[in-house]
Amino acid sequence: MNILVANLGSTSFKFRLFRFGGAGDATLLAKGGYERVTDYGQAIDDCLAELKAGGHARSAADLHGVGFKTVLGKNLTGCVRADDRVIAALEGFKEIAPAHNPPYALGIQRFREKLPGVPLVALFETAFYQWVPEAATRYAVPPTWHEAGVRRYGFHGASHKFAAERSAELLGRADIAERVRQLYLAGPVPVAAGAKPLRVISCHFGGSSSVTGMRDGVAVGTSMGLSPQSGLPQNNRVGDLDSAAVPFVMKTLGLSLAEVERQMTKEGGLLGLSGVGNDMRDVRAAAAQGNARAQLALDVFIHSARHWIGAFLLELGGCDALVFTAGIGENNPDLRAAICANLTDLGISLDVTKNDTLRGTEGEISAAGARTRVFVIPANEELVVARETLRCISAAN
Ligand code: AMP
C-alpha cells in the first residue's frame, strides 16, 4: 500500500511517499517539496509528475491514499475522510488558523480533482484531545464565546500520539501501545482491570512547542489552547498571554487589530524575546556569546516548559515517562538538563553522559533507578499521518 502525505504550509508544499508492507512496516519511497508556493494546483501537479518520473507512482492506481495533517476544524476532529465536511470545517475556522486552514482546504480540493477515486484522509492535529475532560478544555468566557468555538483544542496531536505509542512500547506496555493505535478507530478501549496506570508527559519542543499529559495513552490536557499562539513561547509566535494585553497595546501603542495580530504571530516568541532570531540554534549561540536577551529567551522557554510539565505531573499524580521530541527536544541536551534540574525528589533525574551524547536519535536519558524514565523519541509526523491514513482506509474497507 502506497500512502502519500501532503504537508501544506502557508507558502510551501512538502510530500513524502511511504510504502507499507503486510506487517505494517513502512519504507520511505520518495520525498520532496517546493517553497514560495503561490499555486497549490501547480505544486500538486509537479509532485505527481515527480513521483511518476521517479517510477514511484506511475498513475493514480499506484497511490492507495493521501493523508493531510490538517490543523483545526470547526465542529470536526479525528482522523476522517477528507471530504466536503472537512473542507467546510477548515473554512469555518480559517480565522483561528489563517496560515494553515486555507492551504489545506485548497490542497484537498486539488487532490480530489487530480486523483479521483484515491481515498483522501484528514488527520486533525486536535484529534488527540477528543477525550480531554471538559474542565481542562473550557475557558471562563461568556457562553456565546464558547458556542462560537472559543475553547482549548490543543495541537501537535500526531506527534504526541506517536510519543504515547512509542513510550508505551519502550516501557513494555504493549497493551497501552495497542490502545493508542486503536484510538481514532475505537476511542479509548477499556484498560484491563488491575493494570497499572501509565502516566506520560510528552514535550514536543520545536519551531512550535507544546506539552501534553497522557494517562494510559489518552491525553488529559495540553499546553496549547484555542490556537497555536498559546502555551510555551513559540519560534516567532507568542505563547500564553493575558487577554488584557491585546486591548492595552491597541489603546496605548495605537496599534490596529491587524497589526497586533501580525506582531503576535511574526514578532513574538523566541524571536521577540531574544531579538536574534526564531531558531533555537541562533538563540543558543547568541546566549553562549553573552547576549543577555538571548539568555532570557532560553530562561523563559525553560521556565514555561517546567511550568507545564509541573501541571501534568500533578494532574497525573506522578509520571512514569517524560518524553522529549521534535527539533529542540531531540537536539539540545543542555536545555533538557535545565528543564529536568532539581527534580530528583519528584522522581526525575538525568544520566548526564547519556543526555549529553543523545542527539536526534531514540534513547533513554534518565539516571539508573530514577522513578521516571526519560526518553528522547524522534518525531516523524509524516509517518504518523501515513499510518493513521492507512488505518482509516483499511477500517473503511
Ligand atoms: P522542528 O519544528 O521540529 O523542525 O524544530 C525546529 C527547531 O529545532 C528550531 O528551533 C531549531 O533550532 C531546533 N533544532 C533543530 N535541529 C537542531 C540541532 N541539531 N541542534 C539544536 N537545535 C536544533
Side-chain angles (χ1 to χ4, degrees):
M1 297 280 270
N2 292 344
I3 305 290
L4 179 67
V5 176
N7 184 346
L8 291 126
S10 49
T11 59
S12 66
F13 173 77
K14 295 182 190 139
F15 64 89
R16 289 193 191 190
L17 178 65
F18 294 92
R19 172 164 296 159
F20 285 87
D25 50 309
T27 312
L28 181 65
L29 292 185
K31 67 175 195 174
Y34 317 99
E35 302 290 340
R36 298 198 182 96
V37 171
T38 50
D39 181 346
Y40 287 94
Q42 186 60 49
I44 291 165
D45 271 351
D46 293 347
C47 157
L48 296 175
E50 247 186 75
L51 293 176
K52 193 171 180 179
H56 303 300
R58 279 184 213 73
S59 71
D62 292 332
L63 288 175
H64 304 103
V66 182
F68 302 87
K69 190 162 68 72
T70 44
V71 176
L72 175 67
K74 184 170 185 177
N75 300 327
L76 186 64
T77 189
C79 184
V80 295
R81 289 299 181 105
D83 51 16
D84 286 341
R85 206 167 51 124
V86 165
I87 292 171
L90 291 171
E91 282 169 354
F93 267 173
K94 62 176 187 269
E95 296 295 340
I96 303 177
H100 294 99
N101 278 11
Y104 269 111
L106 206 68
I108 290 169
Q109 265 159 337
R110 296 289 192 184
F111 267 105
R112 238 174 17 180
E113 287 158 22
K114 288 181 193 226
L115 297 176
V118 176
L120 309 183
V121 172
L123 172 61
F124 282 97
E125 285 287 66
T126 51
F128 195 51
Y129 305 104
Q130 293 172 76
W131 302 280
V132 169
E134 191 178 1
T137 66
R138 197 75 190 236
Y139 289 122
V141 292
T144 47
W145 293 33
H146 179 73
E147 280 148 27
V150 177
R151 48 156 290 190
R152 280 187 180 280
Y153 293 100
F155 300 93
H156 295 140
S159 177
H160 290 300
K161 182 171 186 278
F162 183 68
E165 180 181 335
R166 188 67 192 132
S167 62
E169 285 170 354
L170 292 170
L171 292 165
R173 293 293 303 269
D175 57 332
I176 300 299
E178 184 55 23
R179 190 175 197 240
V180 177
R181 281 192 280 276
Q182 294 302 319
L183 209 48
Y184 298 155
L185 300 175
V189 296
V191 180
K196 202 169 164 287
L198 185 66
R199 304 156 304 178
V200 176
I201 300 175
S202 168
C203 303
H204 177 109
F205 294 160
S208 164
S209 299
S210 67
V211 178
T212 292
M214 308 174 297
R215 183 180 286 112
D216 295 329
V218 180
V220 298
T222 188
S223 58
M224 276 189 177
L226 172 70
S227 78
Q229 271 113 252
S230 51
L232 282 84
Q234 313 296 341
N235 55 359
N236 48 12
R237 283 173 280 127
V238 292
D240 281 346
L241 180 70
D242 188 320
S243 58
V246 173
F248 176 75
V249 295
M250 288 177 74
K251 288 173 195 162
T252 58
L253 302 181
L255 302 179
S256 66
L257 184 57
E259 180 58 11
V260 173
E261 279 185 307
R262 193 193 67 76
Q263 292 189 13
M264 287 199 306
T265 53
K266 303 271 190 294
E267 295 180 0
L270 294 176
L271 172 65
L273 284 164
S274 71
V276 299
N278 67 11
D279 189 300
M280 185 55 92
R281 283 166 285 208
D282 300 331
V283 178
R284 288 191 49 209
Q289 286 168 2
N291 182 314
R293 278 182 64 188
Q295 183 59 52
L296 181 64
L298 294 183
D299 293 345
V300 172
F301 187 88
I302 292 161
H303 177 268
S304 184
R306 286 169 69 88
H307 171 92
W308 283 104
I309 291 169
F312 295 119
L313 202 56
L314 198 77
E315 184 67 31
L316 294 166
C319 178
D320 301 300
L322 178 65
V323 175
F324 288 100
T325 188
I328 295 174
E330 292 163 27
N331 294 295
N332 290 275
D334 38 2
L335 273 185
R336 295 192 298 245
I339 289 165
C340 295
N342 305 319
L343 299 180
T344 310
D345 279 1
L346 296 176
I348 298 173
S349 171
L350 297 189
D351 179 307
V352 175
T353 312
K354 284 185 186 163
N355 180 43
D356 280 351
T357 45
L358 202 65
R359 284 183 175 82
T361 52
E362 183 179 283
E364 183 168 357
I365 56 173
S366 37
R371 261 200 328 274
T372 298
R373 310 268 301 271
V374 186
F375 298 110
V376 173
I377 298 178
N380 187 345
E381 290 169 283
E382 285 84 2
L383 178 60
V384 175
V385 177
R387 283 179 177 172
E388 296 301 331
T389 299
L390 184 61
R391 279 184 198 131
C392 180
I393 294 169
S394 307
N397 290 332

